Amino acid sequence: MKTIQIETILRDNKLKVTPKRTLILGTLVSSKLPLSVADILVRLPQNADIDTVTVYRNLEAFVSADIVKEYAIKKGMTHYEYKSGHSHHHLVCTNCNRIEDFTICAAQDISKKVLNQSKCFTSITSHNFELFGLCKICSK
Amino acid sequence: MKTIQIETILRDNKLKVTPKRTLILGTLVSSKLPLSVADILVRLPQNADIDTVTVYRNLEAFVSADIVKEYAIKKGMTHYEYKSGHSHHHLVCTNCNRIEDFTICAAQDISKKVLNQSKCFTSITSHNFELFGLCKICSK
DNA sequence: ATATAAATGCAAATAATTTGCATTCGTATT
DNA sequence: AATACGAATGCAAATTATTTGCATTTATAT
């Protein structure tokens, strides 16, 4: 995706446009998978010279602006994914952490039923759904 | 639950029976909610004198023995829950972290469909499913 | 009774993330 | 175009969760 398009996303979401912020969001937008902070640092252009703290603070800003979603896929490390139009879930290899997307989900129906039965909740606003298994390489 | 019953669980799962291990598992068994390590330490009898490391190492043993499940419910902290017979999922309040259990789940069906469509996975062995919303108290 | 492997505690090491503060930069407004 | 203000950034240090090393104690099979 072009830099200008990334800048448009930032402006549309009332986030100040800076070169580093643009690079960080660009990294997320062009990734098909959720990325950890370490992943992002590796994928940033080598001459970008962006501090780890800057990555954390920008991710926080993106999450607050609701353009990036946080996942606790792996114990002890948060992953971040750009919220593109099409919602999907993740199938994760328990051995190598490879991720494949899928779109089937029954959370809407289930949410309604659960809310009807619930004693102490008045609304359900979101859900997490992840499948775990073994990929072809790791199942050998 | 009685101490003797906890010890039976340990023996049945080929885990050495020690007083501290029994107390730690007992804390999990008697909790209706997933607990963090900090939660466990607080709930342990005040005279138990159990080191944090001991809690971590026992949780690791329980998870390996498949009698306790790990959750990444909250960013940056792992929660642990005793695997009792009835499987269930969690409805979590995004404001106060209150948890309510529910049992409806479509993961079996969905797993089959996803596996059929998958390009690079050969098996699906488990899933996570959590709903988030607001409880009565927090929605005011 | 005892040998052996596992459990425990303490201290220190890691790893992920956050905070404080000084400096720089983006942008709305002259 | 100049400028002022708040937001963005970097560096260092602090926090928090978790893990590791090693010496000592303990559970359990023989």
Side-chain angles (χ1 to χ4, degrees), chain A residues 107-123:
Chain A
Q108 275 72 30
D109 285 350
I110 292 176
S111 294
K112 281 181 202 162
K113 290 178 191 164
V114 170
L115 196 55
N116 281 340
Q117 295 178 5
S118 172
K119 287 172 195 164
C120 52
F121 276 75
T122 57
S123 67

Side-chain angles (χ1 to χ4, degrees), chain A residues 71 83-89 101-105 108 127:
Chain A
Y71 290 94
K83 279 193 177 182
S84 65
H86 82 295
S87 87
H88 62 267
H89 296 285
D101 293 350
F102 65 89
T103 54
I104 311 172
C105 183
Q108 275 72 30
H127 66 276

Side-chain angles (χ1 to χ4, degrees), chain B residues 19-47:
Chain B
K20 301 196 176 187
R21 173 166 287 171
T22 306
L23 286 172
I24 295 168
L25 183 58
T27 303
L28 284 175
V29 168
S30 61
S31 171
K32 285 167 188 159
L33 310 174
L35 300 178
S36 67
V37 169
D39 294 334
I40 294 169
L41 287 167
V42 167
R43 287 163 200 235
L44 249 12
Q46 53 290 69
N47 58 340

